[in-house]
Amino acid sequence: MRDRLVWNRRDFVRMAGCSLVGAMSARLAWSSTASKENKGGSPRFAYIGHAAKNGSSHEIGVFTIDGNRWKPTGAVASNQPSFLSLHTNERFLYAVNDVSRYNNLPSGAVEAYAVDSHDGSLTLLNRQPLSLSGTEPRHMAVSPDGHALVVALHGGGAYNVLPIDEDGSLGRVSGILKETGSGPDEEHQQAAHPQMVMFDRMGRLLGADMGSDRLSVFTVDDCTLSLTARSAARAGSGPRHVELHPSGNLVFVANGLDASVSCYGYDEKNGRILEQLEHVPTFKYSSGEKSAVVMAMHPSGDFLYTTHRSGGEGITVWRTNSSTGALRVIQHERDGLQSLHAMTMTPDGSSLLALSPKSGCVVRWRVDRGSGHLSQPVQVAKVPAPMSMVVKYL
């Protein structure tokens, strides 16, 4: 049975034992590459990267979804699965291992799993190391044709490309693009730190680099990566997360260092990030200190949702202007929620999901499709220190 989330101070203290991965990067995503038919269907399985119950290891949990019920049905061991992604055909699942060493070498790793179409269970296909000195992978994206996986590496400041075989397994790293640069924040910007990658509708790759205050557009060809264009972000902002407006003419950026959101024009046809149109602070809507912004966009493009990974309460709902990129606050939902490390919108725009490592659960809000306003939050799954999630549709 679902429980409405109304937490008091005593509840938070009681649940603090679940926060052992407070420093972990939490990531969450729907399968953005599913077919149009599947995007309109109901969710069937959810995969959540989280701490094991004993707290000494990590795993990817499998959940079956039947309406409002999320039932755990299995799990596979995985080392720091900080981001999960489904293949375009939804038959395979990939996980990045956010580690600094793999097989006694300075490298992160990526895992490939086969997804059972009947019960959603996972079978490990293989595990591949990333490039030497390419540590702490934070994000990845499967190319639209399903032939390549691109990984953003926080440590080592690079992007890696791995080929995907017909059976879903991963080949060795075939493309490496090393980044250089730094920013004014001496603690977090001593070097380049790529944080996120995503493909646009034309098949180009966008990358956000928190360490060098830079946004980039790349071309992926024959499992190699080449630079198409660059754009400088505001100094010291630390771009961490990007969302493309459905129109294709705007890019929204959640910044990891100055608690802000920026909007840039985007030339989708030529793969160019244009001038900055908007830059708004989000910390003034929070009672805490500045912290990294977590962001999700409604599929209509009319609303943007932001929160903070630490030091803040609740979610701010913004109305977007699809022509100018301007943002206007229309709701601030507090309701006792803190430290939501990741959130995403369902493809039909009916619900917003978030991971709460501190409380050890997955939270859902219903979304009013006309106003964008959020309902009261409910807990849909209890999971020890969740850090990543992806949902598979019928």
Side-chain angles (χ1 to χ4, degrees):
M1 180 178 296
R2 298 176 303 160
D3 298 315
R4 179 180 167 183
L5 298 186
V6 181
W7 300 324
N8 55 32
R9 184 180 300 273
R10 183 178 64 182
D11 292 327
F12 274 111
V13 171
R14 177 173 57 83
M15 296 182 191
C18 294
S19 62
L20 56 93
V21 295
M24 288 183 180
S25 297
R27 307 288 190 271
L28 164 137
W30 295 94
S31 176
S32 61
T33 53
S35 68
K36 291 182 180 180
E37 291 80 7
N38 284 344
K39 280 188 175 183
S42 300
R44 185 178 183 187
F45 303 115
Y47 302 93
I48 303 177
H50 62 89
K53 290 183 179 180
N54 61 15
S56 62
S57 58
H58 309 95
E59 61 189 26
I60 301 172
V62 182
F63 292 74
T64 59
I65 302 174
D66 181 11
N68 295 325
R69 290 189 60 203
W70 288 45
K71 179 182 178 182
T73 57
V76 294
S78 180
N79 192 6
Q80 295 266 57
S82 66
F83 189 78
L84 306 176
S85 181
L86 283 168
H87 192 276
T88 54
N89 61 22
E90 296 201 335
R91 293 167 47 209
F92 312 111
L93 179 132
Y94 302 98
V96 294
N97 302 132
D98 188 359
V99 296
S100 298
R101 297 193 69 81
Y102 175 71
N103 282 347
N104 294 319
L105 292 173
S107 168
V110 187
E111 300 169 333
Y113 294 88
V115 177
D116 188 286
S117 61
H118 298 291
D119 61 14
S121 60
L122 300 176
T123 301
L124 179 66
L125 295 173
N126 71 333
R127 185 179 291 112
Q128 287 286 8
L130 297 169
S131 58
L132 284 178
S133 299
T135 61
E136 303 172 41
R138 295 294 168 83
H139 200 269
M140 63 182 163
V142 177
S143 61
D145 63 10
H147 294 162
L149 183 74
V150 184
V151 183
L153 295 158
H154 176 90
Y159 299 94
N160 279 189
V161 185
L162 295 86
I164 299 176
D165 294 336
E166 289 187 6
D167 66 356
S169 61
L170 294 167
R172 292 184 176 275
V173 172
S174 60
I176 302 172
L177 196 149
K178 175 71 174 177
E179 294 284 36
T180 59
S182 60
D185 187 318
E186 295 181 358
E187 181 180 359
H188 300 101
Q189 293 186 311
Q190 311 96 327
H193 294 305
Q195 298 294 299
M196 181 176 178
V197 287
M198 72 170 297
F199 284 92
D200 68 10
R201 297 183 301 184
M202 304 297 290
R204 296 189 185 89
L205 185 79
L206 279 72
D209 190 329
M210 187 176 74
S212 64
D213 291 322
R214 188 163 53 205
L215 302 169
S216 302
V217 182
F218 305 101
T219 299
V220 180
D221 185 24
D222 196 24
C223 290
T224 61
L225 202 63
S226 58
L227 179 66
T228 299
R230 294 237 195 246
S231 180
R234 180 173 293 215
S237 61
R240 179 177 174 269
H241 182 128
V242 295
E243 289 279 0
L244 275 169
H245 191 273
S247 66
N249 66 344
L250 298 172
V251 177
F252 290 90
V253 181
N255 297 305
L257 298 179
D258 71 351
S260 68
V261 173
S262 304
C263 180
Y264 299 81
Y266 186 57
D267 179 356
E268 188 175 51
K269 180 179 179 180
N270 297 300
R272 296 284 191 274
I273 296 176
L274 308 176
E275 72 279 3
Q276 180 178 288
L277 303 173
E278 178 75 293
H279 184 85
V280 295
T282 59
F283 66 89
K284 69 181 180 181
Y285 302 105
S286 167
S287 59
E289 298 179 355
K290 293 182 181 180
S291 65
V293 177
V294 176
M295 175 176 65
M297 173 162 281
H298 194 273
S300 68
D302 294 334
F303 312 106
L304 190 72
Y305 301 80
T306 63
T307 187
H308 297 113
R309 291 185 59 205
S310 61
E313 289 191 9
I315 296 175
T316 302
V317 184
W318 309 75
R319 181 174 288 278
T320 66
N321 185 310
S322 60
S323 298
T324 66
L327 293 167
R328 176 172 61 87
V329 176
I330 58 174
Q331 184 187 11
H332 188 65
E333 173 59 44
R334 294 183 180 274
D335 205 28
L337 298 176
Q338 292 183 340
S339 302
L340 299 175
H341 280 207
M343 62 182 181
T344 193
M345 185 70 57
T346 58
D348 64 1
S350 64
S351 298
L352 179 71
L353 285 179
L355 299 180
S356 178
K358 191 169 186 177
S359 303
C361 64
V362 181
V363 189
R364 186 188 64 200
W365 292 260
R366 293 293 186 185
V367 179
D368 184 286
R369 301 188 192 189
S371 67
H373 286 193
L374 300 175
S375 67
Q376 297 294 322
V378 295
Q379 175 181 301
V380 295
K382 190 70 177 174
V383 187
M387 65 186 85
S388 57
M389 181 172 70
V390 69
V391 175
K392 175 177 168 57
Y393 285 83
L394 293 173

Coordinates of all heavy atoms in Angstrom, one line a residue, residues 131-135 137 151-160 176-180 192-195 197 209 225:
S131 N 38.6 4.0 -20.6 CA 40.0 4.4 -20.9 C 40.8 4.6 -19.7 O 40.2 5.0 -18.6 CB 40.0 5.6 -21.8 OG 39.4 6.7 -21.2
L132 N 42.1 4.3 -19.7 CA 42.9 4.5 -18.6 C 42.9 6.0 -18.1 O 42.9 6.9 -18.9 CB 44.4 4.2 -18.9 CG 44.7 2.7 -19.0 CD1 46.1 2.4 -19.4 CD2 44.4 2.0 -17.7
S133 N 42.8 6.2 -16.8 CA 42.6 7.5 -16.2 C 41.2 8.0 -16.4 O 40.9 9.1 -16.0 CB 43.7 8.5 -16.7 OG 45.0 8.0 -16.3
G134 N 40.4 7.3 -17.1 CA 39.0 7.7 -17.2 C 38.2 7.1 -16.1 O 37.6 6.0 -16.2
T135 N 38.1 7.8 -15.0 CA 37.5 7.3 -13.8 C 36.1 8.0 -13.5 O 35.8 9.1 -14.1 CB 38.4 7.5 -12.6 OG1 38.7 8.9 -12.4 CG2 39.7 6.8 -12.8
P137 N 32.8 7.5 -14.0 CA 31.8 7.8 -15.1 C 30.5 8.3 -14.4 O 30.0 7.7 -13.5 CB 31.7 6.5 -15.8 CG 32.1 5.5 -14.8 CD 33.2 6.1 -14.0
V151 N 30.0 7.7 -23.0 CA 30.1 7.8 -21.6 C 30.8 9.1 -21.2 O 31.8 9.4 -21.8 CB 30.8 6.6 -20.9 CG1 30.8 6.8 -19.4 CG2 30.2 5.3 -21.4
A152 N 30.2 9.9 -20.3 CA 30.9 11.1 -19.7 C 31.7 10.7 -18.5 O 31.1 10.2 -17.6 CB 29.8 12.1 -19.4
L153 N 33.0 11.0 -18.5 CA 33.9 10.7 -17.4 C 34.3 11.9 -16.6 O 35.0 12.8 -17.1 CB 35.1 10.0 -18.0 CG 34.9 8.7 -18.7 CD1 36.0 8.4 -19.6 CD2 34.7 7.6 -17.6
H154 N 33.8 11.9 -15.3 CA 34.2 13.1 -14.5 C 35.7 13.1 -14.2 O 36.3 14.1 -14.4 CB 33.4 12.9 -13.1 CG 33.8 13.9 -12.1 ND1 33.1 15.1 -12.0 CD2 34.7 14.0 -11.2 CE1 33.6 15.9 -11.1 NE2 34.6 15.2 -10.5
G155 N 36.2 11.9 -13.8 CA 37.7 11.8 -13.6 C 38.4 11.6 -14.9 O 37.9 10.8 -15.7
G156 N 39.5 12.3 -15.1 CA 40.2 12.2 -16.4 C 39.7 13.1 -17.5 O 40.3 13.3 -18.5
G157 N 38.5 13.7 -17.2 CA 38.0 14.7 -18.1 C 37.9 14.3 -19.6 O 38.5 14.8 -20.5
A158 N 37.0 13.2 -19.9 CA 37.0 12.7 -21.2 C 35.6 12.1 -21.5 O 34.8 11.9 -20.6 CB 38.0 11.6 -21.4
Y159 N 35.4 11.9 -22.8 CA 34.2 11.1 -23.3 C 34.7 9.9 -23.9 O 35.7 9.9 -24.7 CB 33.4 12.0 -24.3 CG 32.9 13.3 -23.8 CD1 33.6 14.5 -23.9 CD2 31.6 13.3 -23.1 CE1 33.0 15.7 -23.4 CE2 31.1 14.5 -22.6 CZ 31.8 15.7 -22.8 OH 31.3 16.8 -22.3
N160 N 34.1 8.8 -23.7 CA 34.4 7.5 -24.3 C 33.3 7.0 -25.1 O 32.1 7.2 -24.8 CB 34.7 6.4 -23.2 CG 36.1 6.5 -22.6 OD1 36.5 5.6 -21.9 ND2 36.8 7.5 -22.9
I176 N 37.9 8.0 -28.0 CA 38.2 8.8 -26.8 C 38.4 10.3 -27.2 O 39.1 10.6 -28.1 CB 39.5 8.4 -26.1 CG1 39.5 6.9 -25.7 CG2 39.8 9.2 -24.9 CD1 40.8 6.3 -25.2
L177 N 37.6 11.2 -26.5 CA 37.8 12.6 -26.7 C 38.2 13.2 -25.4 O 37.4 13.3 -24.5 CB 36.6 13.2 -27.3 CG 36.8 14.6 -27.9 CD1 35.8 14.9 -29.0 CD2 36.6 15.7 -26.8
K178 N 39.5 13.6 -25.3 CA 40.0 14.2 -24.0 C 39.7 15.6 -24.0 O 40.0 16.4 -25.0 CB 41.5 13.9 -24.0 CG 42.2 14.5 -22.8 CD 41.9 13.8 -21.5 CE 42.7 14.4 -20.4 NZ 42.3 13.8 -19.1
E179 N 39.2 16.1 -22.9 CA 38.9 17.5 -22.7 C 40.0 18.2 -21.8 O 40.6 17.6 -21.0 CB 37.5 17.7 -22.0 CG 36.3 17.3 -22.9 CD 36.0 18.3 -23.9 OE1 36.9 18.9 -24.5 OE2 34.8 18.4 -24.3
T180 N 40.2 19.5 -22.0 CA 41.1 20.3 -21.2 C 40.3 21.5 -20.7 O 39.2 21.8 -21.2 CB 42.3 20.7 -22.0 OG1 41.9 21.5 -23.1 CG2 43.1 19.5 -22.4
A192 N 38.8 19.7 -16.5 CA 37.5 19.4 -17.1 C 36.8 18.2 -16.4 O 37.5 17.3 -16.0 CB 37.7 19.1 -18.6
H193 N 35.5 18.3 -16.3 CA 34.8 17.3 -15.6 C 33.4 17.1 -16.4 O 32.4 17.5 -15.9 CB 34.5 17.6 -14.2 CG 35.7 17.6 -13.3 ND1 36.6 16.6 -13.2 CD2 36.2 18.6 -12.5 CE1 37.5 16.9 -12.3 NE2 37.3 18.1 -11.9
P194 N 33.4 16.3 -17.5 CA 32.1 16.0 -18.2 C 31.2 15.4 -17.2 O 31.5 14.4 -16.5 CB 32.6 15.1 -19.3 CG 34.0 15.5 -19.6 CD 34.6 15.8 -18.3
Q195 N 29.9 15.8 -17.3 CA 28.9 15.3 -16.4 C 27.7 14.6 -17.1 O 27.1 13.7 -16.5 CB 28.3 16.5 -15.6 CG 29.3 17.2 -14.7 CD 29.8 16.3 -13.6 OE1 29.1 15.8 -12.7 NE2 31.1 16.0 -13.6
V197 N 25.7 13.5 -21.1 CA 25.6 13.5 -22.6 C 24.2 13.1 -23.0 O 23.5 12.4 -22.3 CB 26.6 12.4 -23.2 CG1 28.0 12.9 -23.1 CG2 26.4 11.1 -22.5
D209 N 30.0 20.1 -19.4 CA 31.3 20.0 -18.7 C 31.3 20.9 -17.5 O 31.4 22.1 -17.7 CB 32.5 20.3 -19.6 CG 33.8 19.9 -19.0 OD1 34.0 20.0 -17.8 OD2 34.7 19.6 -19.8
L225 N 34.2 9.9 -31.9 CA 33.6 11.1 -31.5 C 34.4 12.3 -32.1 O 35.6 12.3 -32.0 CB 33.5 11.2 -30.0 CG 32.5 12.1 -29.3 CD1 31.1 11.7 -29.6 CD2 32.8 12.1 -27.8

